[in-house]
Amino acid sequence: MDRLVKHDVKELNIVFTRNQKCSTTFKLTNLMHTMPVAVFVETTNALVLSLTRSYGVIPPLGSVVFTLVCQELDQPLVLATQVIVRSSMLLTGKSDQESLCNLFSKPGKHIFKDGMIPVSFVGSHVIDFLISNHVPKSVDVPLILEKSVPFCDGTELNSLLKSAAMTGKSYLVTFLISAGADVNDRDTERKSVMSLAIESGNLDVVRVIIESGFVIDHLNDRYLHDAASINGVDIMELLCMNYLDIDINSIDSRGRTAMHVAANHGHLEVLDFLTTLGSDASVVDNDGWNPLHHASYKGHVAAVEFLLNSCSYIKNAVTKNGKSPIALAYENDNMELYDMLYLGDVLHKAATIDDVNGINKCLTEGANVNGKDQNGWTALHRAAFKGRIESVKVLLDHGASVDIVDNSGCTPLHRAVEMGYAEVATVLVARGARASIKSLIDHMVFDLDCVKNYRSLVNPLC
């Protein structure tokens, strides 16, 4: 005979509840027909798991129930734990605790090792622990998940799905959905698993949710806004490809579009993506702010530059409080925006009308002497085009680039020659402008006699 008793379970599952005592029971049965059997039961982790009693005497063919108790823990055990069952024939008839203790304290052939019962912690709190924590590689996570799911109800599975989405663990999201979690479940505030997945920034989780049949509520969901706030261009692309009816210009409760959100965070890639899809940069929110107002207020230089290139006239728009983008930039001391939003325009205007004092004032206040407008023109292009010789000289004295090109590939010299301003062209060439007949002809649209008039000017320098 290799054992005296048998246990009624192959493993013990303790439904774990955080910071509460948890327990489970198991039964041992005496296999002897005529003789009582003494038993001793212990655990491999006595600090956490204990038994309401460790010793017992089981009458012939009788049974005894043991209770395994887990102490209050803030997290479950995920490493292997076992209950060990030992037995011995009760030859002396003594069944008091001291006698039983003495019986099992002496090793020998009279002690039978009747079993080792694995102990597993299961339930929703266990899954939540696996979602929220890094566990050792030795832990069989899929096995624990499989064991725990039967002890979770639908509400718990839905809650766990949201937690998994929020932490960006796509394999857990996939498992919970296959286990019965409702991908379209929403909480009392209409928050969905999709919004949490987007907040996590995990593209794989978003893809799993979409492929699992998630349905967008277009009246309430603002997932492009959520993605814009985290610079999630890849997520926005995935949403737009799978939900063709999604509105890129939809507004939230504050009247903001996804472009407002992107501008507020300075997310240039998102602004570029939305503009490509046709998002309108001139839309204002409930406070009368367009995206440029938000970018200017926050001091996002690249975003401001992008928005101005996309829709230049929005720089003159004012909020309901009468504030323009430049006023908001001044308000927050975003000095790097002064040129783009105001000084650049003033400098270009001063160069156009030959206001030398105005040019000097703008440059002193921080205007970029080589700042370009929407056509790529600098102040020097404008001065040359208008034949403003004094403005040309002042701008060059302040470091204006003599060979800078506009969006058409034309330099200030090209513009001066185009309009027939020989004196301006002379100054530009004298200050280092590269001059060639071929270049002038390639870039100008005017009578060739005009070029001939300047042959004597440029030939010596070619």
Side-chain angles (χ1 to χ4, degrees):
M1 178 176 290
D2 59 355
R3 63 175 180 161
L4 301 178
V5 298
K6 67 176 181 180
H7 41 83
D8 65 337
V9 292
K10 291 184 178 180
E11 65 178 330
L12 292 168
N13 292 318
I14 297 180
V15 180
F16 176 78
T17 303
R18 193 178 293 110
N19 297 319
Q20 291 185 24
K21 282 190 175 182
C22 317
S23 64
T24 188
T25 61
F26 59 98
K27 183 170 65 175
L28 298 179
T29 300
N30 185 353
L31 297 175
M32 303 295 291
H33 289 71
T34 59
M35 185 178 296
V37 172
V39 294
F40 170 55
V41 184
E42 63 179 342
T43 72
T44 56
N45 193 332
L47 293 176
V48 175
L49 296 171
S50 61
L51 291 135
T52 53
R53 60 174 173 171
S54 298
Y55 298 96
V57 176
I58 310 176
L61 298 180
S63 299
V64 173
V65 175
F66 286 81
T67 301
L68 180 66
V69 179
C70 172
Q71 302 304 312
E72 295 180 10
L73 300 173
D74 61 355
Q75 62 185 45
L77 292 178
V78 291
L79 298 176
T81 305
Q82 295 176 320
V83 168
I84 303 173
V85 179
R86 292 183 173 86
S87 63
S88 178
M89 295 181 186
L90 193 61
L91 300 176
T92 64
K94 294 181 179 180
S95 60
D96 59 278
Q97 291 293 306
E98 184 178 353
S99 298
L100 293 176
C101 181
N102 290 331
L103 174 64
F104 286 100
S105 65
K106 300 174 183 178
K109 293 184 178 180
H110 67 289
I111 302 297
F112 289 77
K113 191 173 183 179
D114 283 303
M116 298 184 70
I117 311 174
V119 179
S120 297
F121 286 76
V122 297
S124 63
H125 286 225
V126 176
I127 298 178
D128 185 62
F129 172 79
L130 296 176
I131 291 171
S132 306
N133 296 272
H134 294 289
V135 296
K137 292 183 179 179
S138 58
V139 175
D140 191 342
V141 173
L143 179 61
I144 296 176
L145 291 171
E146 290 290 348
K147 289 181 179 180
S148 294
V149 162
F151 297 91
C152 302
D153 61 26
T155 300
E156 289 172 328
L157 287 176
N158 292 340
S159 177
L160 290 168
L161 176 61
K162 292 183 175 67
S163 296
M166 191 162 49
T167 56
K169 296 181 178 178
S170 59
Y171 75 97
L172 285 173
V173 170
T174 300
F175 173 83
L176 290 166
I177 292 174
S178 64
D182 182 2
V183 74
N184 284 301
D185 178 70
R186 294 173 184 260
D187 60 23
T188 54
E189 296 179 354
R190 300 292 297 164
K191 192 106 174 182
S192 69
V193 65
M194 177 65 85
S195 62
L196 296 170
I198 293 173
E199 287 176 22
S200 78
N202 190 298
L203 184 66
D204 289 335
V205 173
V206 175
R207 182 178 288 110
V208 168
I209 293 171
I210 292 174
E211 292 174 352
S212 298
F214 182 79
V215 178
I216 289 183
D217 176 3
H218 291 291
L219 291 177
N220 298 293
D221 295 334
R222 295 294 176 264
Y223 296 136
L224 292 181
H225 292 66
D226 296 338
S229 69
I230 63 166
N231 203 24
V233 176
D234 51 354
I235 292 176
M236 299 177 81
E237 290 176 345
L238 188 62
L239 290 170
C240 290
M241 284 190 295
N242 284 276
Y243 300 100
L244 299 180
D245 54 347
I246 198 167
D247 182 6
I248 60 169
N249 285 314
S250 64
I251 59 174
D252 60 17
S253 59
R254 302 173 65 181
R256 297 184 179 187
T257 64
M259 183 169 277
H260 282 92
V261 176
N264 187 59
H265 288 85
H267 292 155
L268 193 61
E269 291 181 31
V270 174
L271 289 173
D272 186 35
F273 174 76
L274 290 170
T275 300
T276 301
L277 292 185
S279 188
D280 188 354
S282 66
V283 173
V284 297
D285 61 20
N286 296 348
D287 296 317
W289 289 44
N290 63 39
L292 182 61
H293 288 110
H294 286 279
S296 300
Y297 182 77
K298 289 295 185 69
H300 298 309
V301 178
V304 167
E305 184 176 13
F306 178 88
L307 289 167
L308 288 174
N309 289 334
S310 300
C311 189
S312 61
Y313 66 84
I314 58 176
K315 74 163 67 174
N316 299 315
V318 295
T319 67
K320 287 185 177 180
N321 292 331
K323 294 183 179 180
S324 63
I326 184 60
L328 293 170
Y330 277 128
E331 187 175 300
N332 280 355
D333 295 324
N334 296 324
M335 293 182 290
E336 61 273 25
L337 297 178
Y338 295 171
D339 177 72
M340 281 189 284
L341 294 173
Y342 176 68
L343 292 177
D345 289 346
V346 177
L347 176 63
H348 280 231
K349 183 176 180 180
T352 301
I353 63 176
D354 211 21
D355 180 4
V356 173
N357 290 332
I359 291 174
N360 284 320
K361 184 174 184 296
C362 287
L363 294 174
T364 300
E365 292 179 359
N368 179 5
V369 70
N370 290 311
K372 294 184 175 184
D373 63 13
Q374 66 272 20
N375 298 311
W377 281 36
T378 64
L380 187 58
H381 279 92
R382 290 190 174 276
F385 184 75
K386 288 292 186 178
R388 309 306 188 189
I389 187 68
E390 295 304 320
S391 292
V392 167
K393 292 177 180 179
V394 171
L395 289 167
L396 290 171
D397 289 342
H398 281 83
S401 176
V402 72
D403 281 323
I404 195 169
V405 296
D406 59 21
N407 295 350
S408 300
C410 295
T411 66
L413 177 59
H414 292 131
R415 295 307 180 190
V417 171
E418 177 185 358
M419 299 307 295
Y421 293 120
E423 188 177 359
V424 171
T426 301
V427 171
L428 291 170
V429 172
R431 297 292 286 269
R434 294 190 297 272
S436 71
I437 293 296
K438 182 179 185 305
S439 173
L440 293 173
I441 293 176
D442 287 344
H443 288 88
M444 303 303 142
V445 182
F446 55 90
D447 194 299
L448 285 178
D449 288 338
C450 181
V451 177
K452 294 176 183 178
N453 291 336
Y454 292 97
R455 187 180 298 276
S456 59
L457 169 66
V458 299
N459 274 347
L461 301 169
C462 294

